[in-house]
Amino acid sequence: GAFALINSACSDSGWYNLIPEGTTPSDVGSANMAPLKTQRRLEESAPPRQLLFGGGKDSLATQCATQASNIAWALAALIQSFNSAINENMPNSCPPRNIVNGTNQPEGLLYKFSQGACSLDVMTIISGFLSIAVFGQLMATTCTDELNLEAICGSGISGTFAGAVRIAAAGTAM
C-alpha cells in the first residue's frame, strides 16, 4: 500500500511519471489514454499490473466517497480515544494510575495495564491524524480527477507512519 505509492509517485523513475501529461486518473489504462512514454517489444514480458486509478469517472467517484468516509471513521476514532484519555467524567486512561489505590505510583500489574491503555489512546489519536492526512491527500486526486503526484507521494509517506503507529498500538494492546 503505502510503499507502493511512495515507489510510484515520489521519484522521477516511478511509473506514475510515465503517464502522459494531460491524462486524467479516470482514463489511466483506458483506450482514451495515450500510449505510455516507454514501449516494449513483443518478445519482452509485460510488466506487472499496477492499478490504483482508472476505471472511469464512476470508479474514481466511488474511491472519493470511500476516502471521505474513511476520514469520518478516523475522526470518530480520534475523538473517542481523546475522550477516553482525558475525560474526567469517565474512567480516563491518562495519566496512568494504579487502579487499586488510585495513585500515580508505578507499582504492580494494574498500573502497567493503565499505562498501556493510556499509550493505546495516545497512539490511536496520532494514527487518526495520520489517517486523515492519508485519505485527504488521496482525495486531492480522486475527487478532482487530476493527477497530483505530490499528494499521492505524501499519502504514501503519511501512510507509512500511520502503519508504524498502528503496529506499535497493536503491540501495546497485547
Side-chain angles (χ1 to χ4, degrees):
F3 287 125
L5 293 175
I6 291 170
N7 186 41
S8 301
C10 294
S11 70
D12 291 336
S13 61
W15 84 269
Y16 286 158
N17 287 301
L18 300 176
I19 297 172
E21 195 163 324
T23 302
T24 62
S26 60
D27 285 335
V28 171
S30 74
N32 299 335
M33 186 176 121
L36 290 177
K37 295 176 188 172
T38 61
Q39 298 293 323
R40 66 178 178 89
R41 297 180 178 267
L42 292 177
E43 300 86 38
E44 298 174 10
S45 63
R49 294 180 59 139
Q50 300 171 330
L51 300 177
L52 176 64
F53 303 113
K57 293 192 182 293
D58 291 340
S59 173
L60 224 55
T62 302
Q63 288 184 32
C64 176
T66 302
Q67 289 157 358
S69 69
N70 283 336
I71 287 177
W73 278 108
L75 186 61
L78 184 153
I79 291 169
Q80 183 179 18
S81 291
F82 193 76
N83 187 44
S84 172
I86 65 165
N87 188 344
E88 304 240 347
N89 296 325
M90 295 177 60
N92 56 345
S93 65
C94 296
R97 63 190 168 285
N98 190 318
I99 298 171
V100 175
N101 60 18
T103 67
N104 289 343
Q105 299 301 317
E107 54 190 53
L109 184 61
L110 293 177
Y111 179 83
K112 291 188 182 295
F113 174 78
S114 177
Q115 192 176 33
C118 178
S119 297
L120 183 61
D121 282 335
V122 169
M123 284 186 262
T124 304
I125 292 167
I126 294 168
S127 172
F129 281 119
L130 289 169
S131 295
I132 290 169
V134 168
F135 295 118
Q137 289 168 325
L138 283 175
M139 286 176 69
T141 296
T142 60
C143 296
T144 63
D145 199 16
E146 293 181 18
L147 193 60
N148 186 337
L149 294 180
E150 292 82 14
I152 296 169
C153 176
S155 69
I157 293 169
S158 299
T160 301
F161 286 112
V165 170
R166 287 186 192 117
I167 290 170
T172 299
M174 291 181 157

